[in-house]
């Protein structure tokens, strides 16, 4: 584990930790952690991407074409063998209709506490199913008001 401290600003005293692991004789960066405990773990991030991709109905080859990567690169990202650029993460988040927070950290920041539960239910659904679910939810909420 590697640790460094940025002493440039006393008010924002940041600590960074880097975690490495060795697989098949190669060194991999597993995650970065800050003082607040939020951590980027490329293995877990890759698993999230794989699950979301499968839920959306894409093969690795189809998905790679949509985000401008080869299917081998997609496979390596999903296995946590490599990370990718922020630009590609933005493309992935847009294609899968999830936030960067969710892709990178595994959770989202929500404006209201209840938003989290609603978003978890519809995450990964097609746009058509989301619209249908929204109509059903509106109907239920309207009947509660009557």
């Amino acid at each position: 584990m590697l640790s460094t401290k940025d002493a440039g600003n006393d008010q924002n005293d940041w600590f960074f930790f880097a975690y490495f692991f060795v697989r098949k004789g190669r060194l991999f960066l597993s995650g970065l952690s800050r003082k607040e405990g939020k951590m980027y773990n490329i293995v877990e991030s890759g698993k999230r991407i794989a699950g979301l991709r499968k839920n959306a109905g894409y093969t690795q080859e189809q998905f790679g074409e949509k985000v401008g990567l080869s299917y081998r690169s997609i496979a390596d990202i999903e296995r946590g063998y490599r990370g990718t650029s922020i630009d590609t993460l933005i493309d992935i988040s847009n294609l899968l209709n999830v936030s960067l927070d969710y892709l990178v950290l595994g959770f989202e920041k929500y404006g209201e506490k209840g938003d989290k539960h609603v978003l978890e239910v519809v995450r990964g659904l097609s746009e058509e199913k989301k619209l249908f679910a929204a109509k059903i939810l509106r109907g239920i909420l309207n009947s509660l008001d009557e």
Side-chain angles (χ1 to χ4, degrees):
M1 177 172 66
L2 172 71
S3 173
T4 63
K5 180 180 176 187
D6 177 16
N9 185 345
D10 291 335
Q11 291 179 339
N12 292 321
D13 220 9
W14 298 101
F15 291 91
F16 293 91
F17 298 95
Y19 299 90
F20 296 89
F21 65 94
V22 177
R23 184 181 293 159
K24 295 183 181 178
R26 294 176 58 195
L27 182 67
F28 294 93
L29 173 65
S30 175
L32 295 174
S33 179
R34 298 189 334 205
K35 188 165 87 172
E36 290 89 20
K38 299 175 187 103
M39 182 172 165
Y40 171 52
N41 182 316
I42 63 172
V43 174
E44 292 303 316
S45 179
K47 288 178 185 178
R48 279 189 292 281
I49 291 169
L52 291 164
R53 172 189 59 79
K54 290 173 187 174
N55 284 343
Y58 294 113
T59 65
Q60 287 179 334
E61 189 171 324
Q62 293 166 332
F63 190 68
E65 288 174 11
K66 296 263 187 195
V67 297
L69 297 173
S70 70
Y71 78 92
R72 289 178 192 249
S73 293
I74 297 298
D76 285 348
I77 290 167
E78 290 180 352
R79 287 188 202 109
Y81 289 176
R82 64 168 273 205
T84 189
S85 71
I86 189 68
D87 293 329
T88 300
L89 285 173
I90 291 169
D91 291 342
I92 290 171
S93 72
N94 288 334
L95 181 61
L96 297 174
N97 201 25
V98 297
S99 73
L100 285 172
D101 282 342
Y102 181 72
L103 283 183
V104 174
L105 301 172
F107 63 89
E108 297 192 41
K109 296 178 183 175
Y110 301 98
E112 296 182 34
K113 292 180 182 178
D115 292 353
K116 173 182 177 184
H117 304 292
V118 174
L119 291 173
E120 285 176 357
V121 170
V122 298
R123 176 178 287 122
L125 294 178
S126 69
E127 195 63 30
E128 182 180 338
K129 287 182 179 179
K130 286 179 185 177
L131 291 172
F132 185 65
K135 286 179 184 178
I136 292 171
L137 182 57
R138 277 190 203 99
I140 292 169
L141 294 174
N142 288 338
S143 70
L144 292 175
D145 291 338
E146 295 174 359

